[in-house]
Amino acid sequence: MNAYAKKKDLLLAGLRAAPTERTVGLTKQTSNLFRERAPRAAPRIDLSHFNAVLRVDAAAGTVEAEGMTTYVDLVDATLARGAMPAVVPQLKSITLGGAVAGVGIEATSFRQGLVHDTVLALDVLTGDGRILACTADNEHRDLFRAFPNAYGTLGYALKVTARTIPVKRFVHVEHRRFGDAVRCFAEVARLCATADADFLDGVAFAPEEMYLCVGRFVDAAPHASDYTYEKIYYRSLRERADDYLAARDYLWRWDTDWFWCSKNVGAQHPLVRRLLGRKRLNSITYQKIMRWNARVGLGVLWNRLRGVHAESVIQDVDIPIGRAAEFLAFLHREVGILPVWICPIRAPAPGAGAALYPLPAGTVSINFGFWDVVNSRAPQAPGTCNRRIEREVRALGGIKSLYSDSYFTPEEFWAIYGRDAYLAVKRKYDPEGRLPDLYAKCVLRQ
Ligand SMILES: Cc1cc2nc3c(=O)[nH]c(=O)nc-3n(C[C@H](O)[C@H](O)[C@H](O)COP(=O)(O)OP(=O)(O)OC[C@H]3O[C@@H](n4cnc5c(N)ncnc54)[C@H](O)[C@@H]3O)c2cc1C
């Protein structure tokens, strides 16, 4: 805690010594954003040293950590004390601050909500250069409520206090197969209502082939599967009716193959896996390869040679459970990306949710994650498929995450993402606009 206090003092002193009139941005080594942006000139602010876990109180069910702490470090620190963060996003390099500023989700979300629903307190470096302690009921509750989904445009999280839950050594996962979406989502609704599991997510491999993965902590296991090297987790859902994983391996089960997206860099071939080695089979490696490809334009060139027009469709959208089957049918019919990741989310009580990411209170929403490229022979206007998805999501009363490409008009965008709350908080904590505007950042990629 002393070291944290010193870091804060140094940060404030540095900001006072080198004031800037211009918009600032964050320096980071890794990112889970999927929006290409033109490289921006300085000034950038480096908070990467705010990366320590400060306190784990498993008995009280809380963890306090600096904003740039990665989840891989946070999980190790909490598991060592018999606990885990109440929601652990699936990718190891996601940071605690990033998951609160964006929208973090996982298989505990059907009981715990989104990452930001598990946050008890935030220290925020605001656009006007203050560091404020914010909670749901103190004088900065407006900033606390508007911080999730603001993507760093209201300030940067320097410290986060979040809830933890107790763990056991292993997770037993049942893979329940469903031949149609209506019955599958009816079972999701039942499991959410009874909270009769510790983890719940699923995958649609085809319109008639869906699996719900129902996980429960257990103290002992007859065996523990290893999906960190030669075996591939997502394939196991179709191959076996149930499975056991060590708790840590369960939490990172999707990271080794970036769900299934490692296929795009050839990493599912046994030989390539061996060449890469266990240590490099993870989302951080694949991100580096994808960013390198985006820089050198290899994919673009390959598509041009094949005469293909490719649109990147990398989206996570949340749909009220009553319309989930309808949305999935739309996705199969109009988009065609498979597999699709499915994860239910319990919405917080009315008035308690994030101001900029409203989910319908009192109901479960289903997160659909689909990440691929949609090809066409005929040229299409940029974002044609993404635009269609945005319209459908809105028509069904859903909302989409803003970590990748968005094509909303300003009117559409602000009708969805809490315009009034955002503007009021922006005026109060960043009156000179040192941090970018949310629409400009997420849609205009500025
Ligand atoms: C392919 C893909 C799959 C994903 N899958 C999942 C998933 O399964 N589960 C899940 O939970 N999430 C998922 N995400 C979303 C991810 O959690 C968010 O994009 C999150 O914001 C990333 O956090 P990061 O720490 O990597 O931050 P970055 O990607 O570096 O930054 C994200 C944004 O947050 C801002 N930011 C970063 N740190 C802070 C801070 N300390 N304070 C304020 N603002 C900050 C940045 O300025 C930036 O605008 C996925 C994203 C992608 C691209």
Side-chain angles (χ1 to χ4, degrees), residues 148-170:
N149 205 40
Y151 281 87
T153 65
L154 295 175
Y156 296 120
L158 299 182
K159 179 164 76 85
V160 180
T161 308
R163 283 193 289 107
T164 61
I165 52 177
V167 298
K168 293 182 181 170
R169 282 187 65 200
F170 300 97

Side-chain angles (χ1 to χ4, degrees), residues 234-281:
Y234 79 91
R235 291 186 185 158
S236 74
L237 310 191
R238 306 171 99 169
E239 290 164 358
R240 49 196 308 164
D242 75 332
D243 207 351
Y244 290 88
L245 284 85
R248 187 179 190 277
D249 286 349
Y250 176 82
L251 294 177
W252 300 128
R253 69 202 181 285
W254 292 121
D255 188 77
T256 311
D257 282 283
W258 217 9
F259 289 84
W260 31 81
C261 300
S262 61
K263 74 173 191 306
N264 296 322
V265 298
Q268 293 182 18
H269 191 285
L271 193 62
V272 178
R273 283 180 103 69
R274 278 196 210 123
L275 282 174
L276 279 172
R278 195 188 287 269
K279 275 201 182 137
R280 277 190 288 269
L281 285 168

Side-chain angles (χ1 to χ4, degrees), residues 28 31-34 89-90 94-95 98 101 104-105 151-152 157 403 441:
K28 276 187 96 245
S31 174
N32 290 285
L33 277 187
F34 249 74
Q90 298 87 340
I94 292 179
T95 61
I105 180 172
Y151 281 87
Y403 67 74
K441 186 171 189 177

Side-chain angles (χ1 to χ4, degrees), residues 26 28 30-35 37 47 67-68 88-91 93-106 115 147 151-153 155-158 258-259 314 316 341 371 403-404 441:
L26 194 62
K28 276 187 96 245
T30 58
S31 174
N32 290 285
L33 277 187
F34 249 74
R35 256 194 305 277
R37 288 203 287 171
L47 301 175
M68 296 305 192
V88 177
Q90 298 87 340
L91 311 180
S93 67
I94 292 179
T95 61
L96 183 52
V100 183
V103 171
I105 180 172
E106 227 292 274
V115 166
F147 193 86
Y151 281 87
T153 65
Y156 296 120
L158 299 182
W258 217 9
F259 289 84
I314 295 174
D316 273 72
W341 185 60
W371 317 289
Y403 67 74
S404 61
K441 186 171 189 177

